[in-house]
């Protein structure tokens, strides 16, 4: 199974039709390269605020409220492209109004068979908390696509080991991470989180990112990082865990994921963090004690 992850330059479409045409173009490139799954970045929906004029797009809360008018067109667009291109489309994230002007950061996964799967962001960043209107999700999910169990961790969620471990224990062998970071430190945190989740669970992790400057937007103003696909740092995989990564302005990074070979490789692994996980849960290790010097 080939997967594509985007380093997506944020634009400023004048109309929804312009946004839709661009998505068709970029996803068409991934499909032409043979991708079965294409991953777009977190906060992609906020690009639509640019279509609504300066008083809206310069105000984050106004933007969140106004882009709701595009929700059904968003789902129809990416659902249609998934079917047309015969490809799973992970449509970044949409800030969805859940009632009373409260929003959740939702990743939509559209399948070629017409299914709509979704995962809400569970851990909120300081920026999201400061808005006062974004709420965390309350459900942790695993999906089965093309006979493989997959899961989503939106950006900051990838930095928390326990929920991802639960997804692994439910059978997930691919973790998809739509992300958006504005500093090198933020990009590094998510990258390290992705590498750690790949190592400790022995799973593939695929991260998409936003790129470039969008000074018109209070949320997408600066974007930093590279899209990448990660694997455990072990026999049969790159020593640094990076299977593929965007470089020099590339839009997509691609990797072929052989899940059967991946499972078989467990037998010759140098380390077995996934199988040794329970060792850290011994009752004697539940608390650390201050030990006096001899």
């Amino acid at each position: 199974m080939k997967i594509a992850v985007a380093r997506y330059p944020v634009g400023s479409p004048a109309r929804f039709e312009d946004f839709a045409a661009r998505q068709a173009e970029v996803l068409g490139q991934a499909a032409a390269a043979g991708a079965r799954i294409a991953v777009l970045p977190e906060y992609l929906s906020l690009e639509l605020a640019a279509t609504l004029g300066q008083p809206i797009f310069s105000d984050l809360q106004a933007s969140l409220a106004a882009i709701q008018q595009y929700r059904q067109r968003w789902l129809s667009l990416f659902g249609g492209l998934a079917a047309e291109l015969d490809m799973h489309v992970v449509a970044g994230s949409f800030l969805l109004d859940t009632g009373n002007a409260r929003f959740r950061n939702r990743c939509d996964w559209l399948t070629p068979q017409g299914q709509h799967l979704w995962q809400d962001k569970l851990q909120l960043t300081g920026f999201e908390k400061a808005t006062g209107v974004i709420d965390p999700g309350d459900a942790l999910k695993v999906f089965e696509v093309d006979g493989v169990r997959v899961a989503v961790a939106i950006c900051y969620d990838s930095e928390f080991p326990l929920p991802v471990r639960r997804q692994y224990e439910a059978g997930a062998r691919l973790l998809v991470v739509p992300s958006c970071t504005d500093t090198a430190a933020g990009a590094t945190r998510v990258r390290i989180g992705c590498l750690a989740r790949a190592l400790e669970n022995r799973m593939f992790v695929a991260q998409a990112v936003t790129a470039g400057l969008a000074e018109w937007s209070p949320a997408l103003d600066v974007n930093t990082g590279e899209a990448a696909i990660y694997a455990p740092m072990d026999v049969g995989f790159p020593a640094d865990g990076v299977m593929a990564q965007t470089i020099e302005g590339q839009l997509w990074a691609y990797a072929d994921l052989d899940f059967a070979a991946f499972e078989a490789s467990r037998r010759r692994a140098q380390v077995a963090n996934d199988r040794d996980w329970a060792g850290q849960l011994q009752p004697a290790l539940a608390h650390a004690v201050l030990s006096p010097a001899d």
Side-chain angles (χ1 to χ4, degrees), residues 5 12 20 46 66 77 91 93 98 109 112 129-130 134 149 168 192 212 215 223 237 239 279 290:
V5 290
S12 54
L46 285 176
L77 168 64
S93 74
T98 57
W109 184 310
K129 291 175 183 176
I134 298 177
R149 291 195 180 181
Y168 166 80
I192 295 300
E215 295 175 342
N223 301 276
F237 299 103
L290 180 62

Side-chain angles (χ1 to χ4, degrees), residues 60-172:
L60 179 59
Q61 293 197 24
S63 296
L64 296 178
I67 64 172
Q68 304 308 308
Q69 64 188 277
Y70 291 132
R71 177 59 178 170
Q72 292 309 311
R73 294 175 74 181
W74 166 279
L75 293 175
S76 295
L77 168 64
F78 289 112
L81 288 170
E84 176 187 337
L85 299 172
D86 191 28
M87 182 174 70
H88 293 272
V89 175
V90 183
S93 74
F94 191 102
L95 278 297
L96 181 65
D97 190 336
T98 57
N100 299 315
R102 306 294 300 184
F103 302 87
R104 286 192 179 183
N105 192 354
R106 177 163 296 181
C107 175
D108 297 302
W109 184 310
L110 292 308
T111 78
Q113 298 82 19
Q115 295 174 296
H116 171 213
L117 313 170
W118 53 268
Q119 172 70 59
D120 289 337
K121 191 172 188 177
L122 303 174
Q123 296 284 347
L124 301 186
T125 63
F127 170 79
E128 289 166 325
K129 291 175 183 176
T131 68
V133 297
I134 298 177
D135 294 324
D138 56 9
L140 185 64
K141 301 183 177 185
V142 167
F143 314 124
E144 187 159 317
V145 301
D146 293 0
V148 176
R149 291 195 180 181
V150 302
V152 175
I154 302 175
C155 200
Y156 191 36
D157 285 346
S158 68
E159 299 176 36
F160 291 85
L162 296 184
V164 175
R165 181 67 185 187
R166 298 294 178 259
Q167 291 170 311
Y168 166 80
E169 290 170 344

Side-chain angles (χ1 to χ4, degrees), residues 3-7 27 30 37-41 88-92 107 109 176-179 206-209 252:
I3 190 167
V5 290
R7 179 183 181 274
L27 289 170
I37 301 174
V39 187
L40 293 167
H88 293 272
V89 175
V90 183
C107 175
W109 184 310
V176 169
V177 181
S179 71
Q207 179 196 2
V209 303
W252 293 104

Side-chain angles (χ1 to χ4, degrees), residues 190-200 205 230-231 233 240-242:
V190 178
R191 178 184 180 88
I192 295 300
C194 289
L195 284 163
R197 305 297 80 80
L199 168 65
E200 69 202 11
V205 180
Y230 306 101
M233 310 95 219
D240 63 358
V242 181

